């Protein structure tokens, strides 16, 4: 009988880390109303932190904050802001400080993505993704850095692995996420002497997220036809576990790092689509292409 390949389990961070390691700490998370960032926020809260989640859709934020508070027993407040507009972020930070008195951890997670060939991608669409991902990260850091310094806290920036190689139809996100990685590296060296750490998490294909739907059209964790040393797609919990570690005292000497959370898939990554036919004839993958910004 041919042996079956290993598939990694999905673990709860509480099986490894004490539940009170973030007691008294406060998390400020952009993009925290859904997906990966909501999952990271929940994990940090399960270990004792209170949180403020930031986004443009107040209704979604309000519902998410209610769910997070009910699941964790901690306080989560929704704060409406657009990371492209610095004043709205400064207002959100002020409200978080008024509520909690401090900000220890920041997750810069607001992002946008879609598939588009360069020929169909408008200048406005390219600029919008840069503004959300790259400028949004910078604006979030500017609005929070004095408080993170005071707390001797840490940043996590949510990136991707798309720019490690050329990825068709992803020029906008590749450029934006490369900028995010660079921002984190500079924060690490400039703010390290002030006691601030900064790292990047780069999730692979993550089930149950909009990014998974955009990139693959799939919402499953079954990895048929997908090469991954650990046998499955990334789960939100995998990214959340890495966030718990990076914010924990166990990572007190870890800064300026970019950490893919992809089960080793990047080492095996080929082309996302048939190549070169998919770039010669974009209509062959038109169900995944979208450039409406």
């Amino acid at each position: 009988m041919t042996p079956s390949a290993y598939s990694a389990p999905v673990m709860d961070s509480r099986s490894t880390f004490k539940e009170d390691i973030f007691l008294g700490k406060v998390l400020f998370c952009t993009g925290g109303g859904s997906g990966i960032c909501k999952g990271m926020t929940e994990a940090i809260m399960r270990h004792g932190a209170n949180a403020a989640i930031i986004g443009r859709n107040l209704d979604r934020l309000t519902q998410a904050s209610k769910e997070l508070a009910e699941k964790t027993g901690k306080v989560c407040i929704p704060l409406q802001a657009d990371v492209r507009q610095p004043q709205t972020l400064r207002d959100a930070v002020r409200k978080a400080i008024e509520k909690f008195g401090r900000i220890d951890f920041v997750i810069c997670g607001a992002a946008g993505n879609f598939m588009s060939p360069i020929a169909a991608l408008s200048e406005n669409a390219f600029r919008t993704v840069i503004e959300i991902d790259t400028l949004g990260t910078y604006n979030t850091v500017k609005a929070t850095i004095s408080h993170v310094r005071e707390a001797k806290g840490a940043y996590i920036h949510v990136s991707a692995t798309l720019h490690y190689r050329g990825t068709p139809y992803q020029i906008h996100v590749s450029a934006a996420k490369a900028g995010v990685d660079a921002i984190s590296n500079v924060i690490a060296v400039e703010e390290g002497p002030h006691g601030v750490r900064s790292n990047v998490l780069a999730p692979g294909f993550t089930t149950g997220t909009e990014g998974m739907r955009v990139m693959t059209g799939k919402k499953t964790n079954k990895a048929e036809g997908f090469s991954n040393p650990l046998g499955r797609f990334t789960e939100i919990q995998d990214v959340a576990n890495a966030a718990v570690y990076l914010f924990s005292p166990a990572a007190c000497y870890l800064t300026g790092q970019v950490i893919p959370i992809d089960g080793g898939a990047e080492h095996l990554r080929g082309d996302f689509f048939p190549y070169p036919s998919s770039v010669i004839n974009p209509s062959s993958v038109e169900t995944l292409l979208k450039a409406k910004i």
Side-chain angles (χ1 to χ4, degrees):
M1 177 181 290
T2 302
S4 58
Y6 174 78
S7 182
V10 181
M11 302 299 295
D12 188 316
S13 61
R14 290 171 295 179
S15 67
T16 303
F17 292 93
K18 293 188 294 186
E19 293 191 30
D20 63 351
I21 56 173
F22 300 136
L23 192 63
K25 305 294 187 181
V26 175
L27 169 68
F28 185 93
C29 179
T30 64
S34 63
I36 289 172
C37 291
K38 182 181 178 185
M40 289 192 288
T41 298
E42 180 178 338
I44 302 304
M45 291 176 67
R46 286 190 184 279
H47 287 277
N50 293 318
I53 55 175
I54 292 82
R56 288 178 290 171
N57 188 325
L58 185 57
D59 289 340
R60 181 165 68 177
L61 287 174
T62 300
Q63 181 60 36
S65 64
K66 180 180 178 182
E67 293 172 2
L68 290 166
E70 290 175 348
K71 286 182 178 180
T72 65
K74 303 302 294 184
V75 177
C76 183
I77 60 172
L79 298 174
Q80 188 175 31
D82 186 336
V83 296
R84 296 171 293 180
Q85 299 176 8
Q87 186 57 53
T88 68
L89 277 171
R90 290 192 289 268
D91 290 342
V93 169
R94 175 178 52 79
K95 292 173 183 177
I97 293 298
E98 288 174 354
K99 177 66 177 180
F100 298 120
R102 61 188 296 151
I103 294 174
D104 299 89
F105 309 131
V106 175
I107 294 175
C108 299
N113 193 9
F114 50 87
M115 303 288 289
S116 177
I118 298 169
L121 184 69
S122 71
E123 293 86 349
N124 184 58
F126 184 91
R127 181 175 57 251
T128 297
V129 173
I130 296 292
E131 287 176 346
I132 294 171
D133 290 56
T134 314
L135 290 178
T137 295
Y138 175 78
N139 291 338
T140 302
V141 171
K142 283 283 288 184
T144 57
I145 188 64
S146 63
H147 301 289
V148 179
R149 273 189 184 185
E150 184 176 350
K152 300 293 186 287
Y155 287 90
I156 289 175
H157 311 274
V158 182
S159 188
T161 60
L162 301 168
H163 55 287
Y164 299 170
R165 313 180 193 186
T167 302
Y169 306 135
Q170 290 284 273
I171 190 171
H172 46 308
V173 181
S174 295
K177 293 305 190 184
V180 169
D181 292 2
I183 288 171
S184 179
N185 290 342
V186 175
I187 294 169
V189 297
E190 278 197 17
E191 296 298 325
H194 297 287
V196 174
R197 296 184 299 109
S198 180
N199 292 288
V200 170
L201 291 179
F205 289 139
T206 305
T207 61
T209 65
E210 180 65 13
M212 172 68 109
R213 187 196 66 76
V214 166
M215 291 296 292
T216 70
K218 299 179 180 180
K219 291 187 178 181
T220 175
N221 64 351
K222 296 181 180 179
E224 291 94 343
F226 176 75
S227 297
N228 188 312
L230 294 184
R232 59 173 175 80
F233 290 122
T234 304
E235 295 278 350
I236 290 175
Q237 187 64 52
D238 298 317
V239 188
N241 290 346
V244 171
Y245 167 66
L246 286 178
F247 282 149
S248 78
C252 66
Y253 197 62
L254 193 67
T255 194
Q257 302 303 307
V258 178
I259 305 173
I261 310 296
D262 67 348
E266 184 62 23
H267 293 293
L268 298 173
R269 200 231 287 186
D271 299 312
F272 286 122
F273 313 111
Y275 186 85
S277 61
S278 61
V279 295
I280 293 173
N281 179 25
S283 63
S284 65
V285 290
E286 64 183 357
T287 58
L288 295 176
L289 301 182
K290 178 183 177 183
K292 297 182 179 178
I293 295 178

